[in-house]
């Protein structure tokens, strides 16, 4: 079957893409607004995009042309933190996906501990085993959209934080202790399953 996205409802495109492009890492983004309120929200349109220098990206959608708090905050102060999601945090992460008033904090909603970053203003999630402090370097809003579209944000990592328990020698990651969670489609998530190796020639 061939499908032209211009002939499909937006909901159909969303289901097809989020069901086909899996698993997706979750960028649990913390930011702060101009009143000092800490914001925390998960984004599965997220990934690392380079290591020299290290950069990450995430994309936030609009609904009826209304920006999410995360987008407003990051555009205002050009900073955000990526908190990686693990098995023991997935329920709390899910809570922070709920829309709440801008004057309230998802840290309090999900009973999470905000801790200070080293180089930027937004707080980190203390319970997260890996966090990245980021400074915004570029953003781009998708054109020709139907319902507000999406904005892609690219940030340079200026500080990395790793729990000692997830580090092995030579900067490798201990997956047994890390236990990351990835996004599938709908209400589905995945854990690390069978791992296999293929060496490059």
């Amino acid at each position: 079957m061939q499908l032209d996205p211009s002939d499909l409802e937006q909901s159909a495109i969303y289901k097809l893409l989020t069901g086909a492009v899996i698993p997706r890492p979750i960028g649990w983004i913390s930011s702060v607004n101009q009143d000092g309120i800490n914001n925390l929200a998960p984004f599965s349109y997220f990934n690392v995009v380079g290591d020299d220098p290290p950069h990450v990206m995430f994309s936030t959608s609009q609904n009826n042309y209304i920006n999410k708090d995360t987008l407003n905050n990051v555009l205002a102060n050009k900073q955000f933190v990526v908190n990686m999601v693990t098995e023991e945090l997935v329920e709390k992460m899910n809570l922070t996906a709920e829309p709440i008033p801008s004057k309230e904090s998802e840290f309090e909603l999900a009973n999470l501990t905000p801790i200070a970053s080293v180089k930027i203003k937004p707080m980190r999630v203390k319970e997260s085993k890996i966090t990245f402090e980021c400074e915004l370097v570029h953003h781009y809003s998708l054109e020709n959209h139907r319902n507000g579209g999406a904005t892609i944000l690219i940030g340079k990592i200026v500080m990395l934080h790793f729990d000692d328990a997830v580090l092995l020698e030579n900067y490798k990651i201990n997956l047994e202790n890390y236990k990351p969670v990835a996004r599938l489609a709908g209400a589905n998530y995945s854990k690390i399953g069978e791992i296999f190796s293929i060496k490059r020639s």
Side-chain angles (χ1 to χ4, degrees):
M1 179 180 290
Q2 299 180 107
L3 301 168
D4 186 332
S6 62
D7 296 331
L8 297 174
E9 294 290 332
Q10 190 60 39
S11 60
I13 297 173
Y14 175 80
K15 290 176 185 176
L16 290 167
L17 291 181
T18 58
V21 183
I22 56 173
R24 299 186 307 282
I26 303 166
W28 205 9
I29 307 298
S30 52
S31 60
V32 62
N33 70 15
Q34 293 177 320
D35 295 323
I37 305 299
N38 297 311
N39 177 266
L40 181 63
F43 297 88
S44 68
Y45 291 171
F46 160 80
N47 220 315
V48 60
V49 292
D51 58 70
D52 184 19
H55 282 70
V56 294
M57 66 75 60
F58 73 97
S59 174
T60 171
S61 61
Q62 293 178 309
N63 188 16
N64 293 321
Y65 297 90
I66 299 174
N67 288 350
K68 293 184 177 179
D69 290 340
T70 300
L71 178 58
N72 289 333
N73 295 346
V74 176
L75 292 182
N77 58 40
K78 308 294 190 290
Q79 298 176 338
F80 62 93
V81 176
V82 176
N83 306 274
M84 300 307 294
V85 179
T86 51
E87 291 179 23
E88 63 270 25
L89 291 175
V90 70
E91 295 289 346
K92 291 180 180 288
M93 177 277 299
N94 192 48
L95 282 176
T96 64
E98 294 294 323
I100 62 174
S102 300
K103 63 182 180 180
E104 298 178 14
S105 174
E106 290 83 0
F107 279 90
E108 295 179 11
L109 174 70
N111 194 27
L112 292 161
T113 311
I115 55 172
S117 295
V118 174
K119 293 189 175 183
I120 62 175
K121 281 188 176 182
M123 295 289 191
R124 297 181 290 126
V125 175
K126 181 179 181 180
E127 293 81 1
S128 179
K129 294 176 181 175
I130 298 175
T131 61
F132 305 140
E133 298 181 27
C134 302
E135 293 180 345
L136 181 70
V137 296
H138 182 68
H139 72 279
Y140 171 76
S141 295
L142 303 182
E143 300 176 351
N144 300 319
H145 45 72
R146 304 177 189 178
N147 192 34
T151 300
I152 300 165
L153 301 106
I154 298 177
K156 179 180 178 180
I157 300 174
V158 296
M159 184 63 69
L160 306 99
H161 301 267
F162 288 81
D163 188 304
D164 290 345
V166 303
L167 283 178
L168 297 170
E169 292 182 4
N170 198 26
Y171 303 105
K172 293 182 179 179
I173 304 297
N174 184 328
L175 289 177
E176 291 183 2
N177 290 343
Y178 181 21
K179 298 181 180 179
V181 170
R183 192 77 165 88
L184 301 177
N188 297 319
Y189 293 82
S190 68
K191 304 175 183 178
I192 293 291
E194 179 183 356
I195 299 175
F196 62 94
S197 301
I198 301 177
K199 293 185 177 181
R200 296 183 182 182
S201 57

